[in-house]
C-alpha cells in the first residue's frame, strides 16, 4: 500500500508530538484521534497494521489542532458522559469526567425518592450546558420528570441536539428565574455552574480558557456568584426535604458549602471529593 505507515509508529510519534505540546494525556489522545480517523474503536487499534496515506494526512491535521490545544472532543465531535453520548463543539462547555460523580449523586437521589414515595421524581438541571447531566438522569432514572435550562444561546443549541428524543423539558433562560411554576415541587436540583474567580484566568487550562464559553467558566471575584444564585433558586424550587447538588472548584471545598450553611435554611450540608481526592461538589437538604 503506497505511502502507508505502521499504526504503531504513527501512535508513537503522535504521542511524542502531543506530549511536547503539553497535552495532559498524549497517549490516550493520540489513540482516540487515530481511531476516529479510521472509524474504529481504540480497543481495536491493535488489529490495524498499516494506515493508508490519505488517513495519515487526515490524522496529521487533527494532531496539529490538538497540539495547538484545541479540545479533543471538538476534533471528534463527541463526548461520553456516564452511559450517554453527547455532541459537542465550539460554543458549549465540554463535560468533564469529574462531573459524572455529581450526576451519579443526582441519579441516586432521584431513584431513592421514587422508591420511598412511590411517585415520579422531579429533577431540575440548572446551567445544563450540553445537557450532559439532564441526559444522564433521564437515561438512568426511567420515568423521571427532568427539566433543564441554559442561558447561553449557543450552548442551548447543543443541548437541543443532545436532548432531542428524550423526555427532558429544555428551556433557554436564566437559572435565577427559571421554572417558577415548579416552586416547591422539585425533589432534586443539580447544577454545574461557572465557578472560576475572574482573577484566576492564567490558571485555567488552555483548552478551557481558549475554547469553552466564558459564561460557563467565570463567576465573579471569588467564583461564587452563581452558587449564591443557585442557593436562592434551589430553596424556592425544592420541596421541604428536597436536595441540591452543585460542582465547585477544588479550592472551594469550604467556601462553596458555606454559602448554603450560612443561609440558615439547609441541613446536611456537606462536601464530596472526586476520585483524585479533591473537593469537587457540595450537597444540601432543604429544611422541613
Amino acid at each position: 500500500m503506497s505511502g502507508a505507515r505502521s499504526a504503531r509508529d504513527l501512535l508513537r510519534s503522535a504521542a511524542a508530538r502531543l506530549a511536547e505540546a503539553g497535552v495532559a494525556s498524549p497517549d490516550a489522545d493520540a489513540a482516540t484521534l487515530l481511531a476516529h480517523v479510521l472509524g474504529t474503536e481504540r480497543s481495536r487499534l491493535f488489529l490495524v497494521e498499516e494506515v493508508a496515506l490519505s488517513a495519515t494526512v487526515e490524522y496529521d491535521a487533527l494532531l496539529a489542532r490538538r497540539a495547538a490545544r484545541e479540545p479533543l472532543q471538538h476534533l471528534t465531535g463527541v463526548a461520553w458522559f456516564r452511559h450517554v453520548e453527547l455532541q459537542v463543539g465550539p460554543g458549549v462547555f465540554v463535560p468533564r469526567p469529574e462531573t459524572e460523580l455529581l450526576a451519579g449523586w443526582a441519579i441516586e437521589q432521584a431513584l431513592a425518592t421514587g422508591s420511598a414515595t412511590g411517585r415520579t421524581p422531579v429533577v431540575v438541571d440548572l446551567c445544563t450546558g450540553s445537557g450532559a447531566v439532564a441526559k444522564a438522569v433521564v437515561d438512568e432514572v426511567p420515568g423521571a420528570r427532568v427539566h433543564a435550562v441554559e442561558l447561553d444561546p449557543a450552548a442551548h443549541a447543543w443541548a437541543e441536539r443532545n436532548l432531542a428524543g428524550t423526555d427532558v423539558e429544555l428551556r433557554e433562560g436564566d437559572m435565577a428565574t427559571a421554572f417558577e411554576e415548579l416552586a416547591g415541587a422539585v425533589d432534586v436540583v443539580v447544577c454545574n455552574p461557572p465557578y472560576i474567580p475572574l482573577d484566576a484566568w492564567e490558571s485555567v487550562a488552555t483548552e478551557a480558557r481558549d475554547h469553552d464559553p466564558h459564561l460557563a467558566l467565570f463567576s465573579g471575584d471569588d467564583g461564587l456568584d452563581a452558587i449564591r444564585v443557585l442557593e436562592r433558586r434551589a430553596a424556592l424550587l425544592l420541596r421541604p426535604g428536597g436536595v441540591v447538588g452543585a460542582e465547585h472548584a477544588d479550592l472551594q471545598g469550604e467556601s462553596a458549602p458555606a454559602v448554603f450553611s450560612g443561609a440558615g435554611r439547609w441541613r446536611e450540608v456537606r462536601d464530596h471529593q472526586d476520585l483524585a481526592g479533591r473537593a469537587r461538589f457540595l450537597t444540601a437538604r432543604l429544611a422541613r
Side-chain angles (χ1 to χ4, degrees):
M1 188 183 298
S2 178
R5 287 188 58 184
S6 155
R8 181 176 299 179
D9 288 345
L10 271 179
L11 287 171
R12 185 183 301 114
S13 61
R17 179 178 178 182
L18 295 180
E20 185 177 358
V23 172
S25 50
D27 294 296
D29 287 16
T32 297
L33 289 175
L34 184 58
H36 172 69
V37 167
L38 297 178
T40 188
E41 300 174 2
R42 273 177 52 180
S43 61
R44 299 182 64 82
L45 283 176
F46 74 95
L47 297 173
V48 179
E49 294 184 2
E50 289 188 328
V51 180
L53 177 60
S54 58
T56 300
V57 171
E58 182 182 353
Y59 185 48
D60 185 70
L62 290 177
L63 287 173
R65 293 169 64 185
R66 185 67 187 106
R69 308 299 290 276
E70 190 170 340
L72 176 70
Q73 297 84 351
H74 284 197
L75 303 179
T76 63
V78 298
W80 283 95
F81 188 84
R82 291 184 67 88
H83 307 296
V84 300
E85 184 181 80
L86 302 162
Q87 298 180 54
V88 294
V92 71
F93 182 81
V94 175
R96 278 27 175 198
E98 53 266 30
T99 307
E100 295 184 11
L101 297 176
L102 173 64
W105 169 87
I107 288 162
E108 290 172 0
Q109 295 298 316
L111 289 170
T113 295
S115 177
T117 66
R119 57 176 170 75
T120 300
V122 180
V123 181
V124 167
D125 177 21
L126 302 175
C127 306
T128 196
S130 65
V133 173
K135 189 170 184 178
V137 172
V138 79
D139 176 64
E140 297 183 53
V141 189
R145 288 176 53 205
V146 182
H147 307 263
V149 66
E150 172 55 44
L151 178 62
D152 184 82
H156 178 267
W158 284 104
E160 278 190 316
R161 297 185 186 100
N162 290 319
L163 297 175
T166 73
D167 291 328
V168 176
E169 189 215 342
L170 173 67
R171 297 184 188 178
E172 183 177 341
D174 191 337
M175 74 164 175
T177 57
F179 304 118
E180 193 77 24
E181 75 282 4
L182 295 178
V186 177
D187 298 296
V188 183
V189 170
V190 61
C191 183
N192 183 12
Y195 50 69
I196 300 173
L198 291 172
D199 62 2
W201 169 268
E202 292 299 332
S203 69
V204 180
T206 304
E207 286 87 345
R209 188 182 65 216
D210 293 350
H211 297 280
D212 281 332
H214 288 182
L215 186 63
L217 298 177
F218 299 100
S219 188
D221 291 340
D222 62 359
L224 297 174
D225 282 3
I227 289 179
R228 294 187 183 96
V229 173
L230 170 64
E231 186 277 323
R232 295 190 294 271
R233 200 62 187 167
L236 180 141
L237 291 174
L238 288 171
R239 300 174 184 271
V243 291
V244 59
E247 188 169 314
H248 58 68
D250 53 6
L251 297 178
Q252 296 168 338
E254 294 183 1
S255 59
V259 171
F260 284 78
S261 58
R265 51 190 168 199
W266 302 93
R267 58 188 178 90
E268 300 175 26
V269 179
R270 58 172 299 210
D271 205 59
H272 305 258
Q273 296 182 338
D274 61 21
L275 297 179
R278 296 170 297 199
R280 182 53 57 198
F281 69 96
L282 69 91
T283 60
R285 186 177 299 276
L286 188 64
R288 294 186 182 277

